[in-house]
Amino acid sequence: MIPASQPDPAAFEFFNEIGIIDQLAGTMLERALPRGMTRAQFVVLNHFVRLGHRERSPAQLASALQVTRPTMTSTLTRMARAGLVVIRADPLDGRGKLVALTHNGHKAREAALAAMVPLFPMLDAVVDPAELAQLLPMLRRLRIALDAARDPVPDPPNA
């Protein structure tokens, strides 16, 4: 048993590799994106498509994408100016806003995906399709677990 004060070497190495892969893949993605689109904008567009185009509040988007509300507001403002999203008043909360993906936003995401296609052969050269098919369920389980762990667990009643 490893003392709590010392990290689990395999777990640390695992998260370290993920961090390095994220940095390298993120830089490759940014370079491949269509001119004028940022990684943050692509992530927002992809989030909307992945979750079925439902409207979201800026706070919900900030929480889901793990950025501050001011950062999300800045990103959404630029995206609205570019016609990628529309921001409207929340009819149930006079102070709130709701954000929705526009047709142009959906088209911009498709253009970004097309721009990424030249990156795929590099992945194919490192991981064969059978290995990738085995890795994806594990990666999804990890994403789901990390997503569930990011929000603090509320205190039980009368605690």
Side-chain angles (χ1 to χ4, degrees):
M1 181 97 177
I2 297 173
S5 62
Q6 294 188 7
D8 176 346
F12 172 77
E13 189 172 342
F14 178 80
F15 283 109
N16 190 49
E17 291 296 329
I18 287 175
I20 294 167
I21 290 167
D22 175 60
Q23 182 65 40
L24 295 168
T27 299
M28 288 179 74
L29 170 66
E30 288 169 350
R31 290 178 181 156
L33 289 173
R35 183 177 209 96
M37 182 182 290
T38 67
R39 181 179 180 186
Q41 291 170 344
F42 174 75
V43 169
V44 170
L45 296 174
N46 198 55
H47 183 75
F48 273 110
V49 172
R50 191 173 69 85
L51 296 180
H53 297 270
R54 292 188 313 268
E55 285 184 311
R56 303 269 191 254
S57 72
Q60 288 172 318
L61 291 166
S63 174
L65 302 178
Q66 299 288 275
V67 298
T68 66
R69 287 183 184 189
T71 296
M72 182 54 63
T73 297
S74 176
T75 298
L76 293 173
T77 299
R78 286 192 308 276
M79 292 177 75
R81 272 193 233 120
L84 304 175
V85 298
V86 63
I87 303 171
R88 68 178 183 97
D90 183 342
L92 302 177
D93 177 359
R95 296 173 298 152
K97 303 280 187 210
L98 291 174
V99 182
L101 185 66
T102 64
H103 178 70
N104 285 342
H106 187 79
K107 285 175 33 180
R109 178 188 176 266
E110 295 302 313
L113 292 177
M116 288 181 217
V117 169
L119 302 177
F120 298 164
M122 188 195 68
L123 179 62
D124 293 339
V126 177
V127 181
D128 77 37
E131 288 176 312
L132 188 58
Q134 289 178 331
L135 283 171
L136 287 174
M138 178 190 59
L139 291 173
R140 282 188 194 101
R141 281 194 319 270
L142 178 61
R143 175 186 44 83
I144 290 166
L146 291 173
D147 192 38
R150 72 185 165 94
D151 295 325
V153 177
D155 290 331
N158 302 322

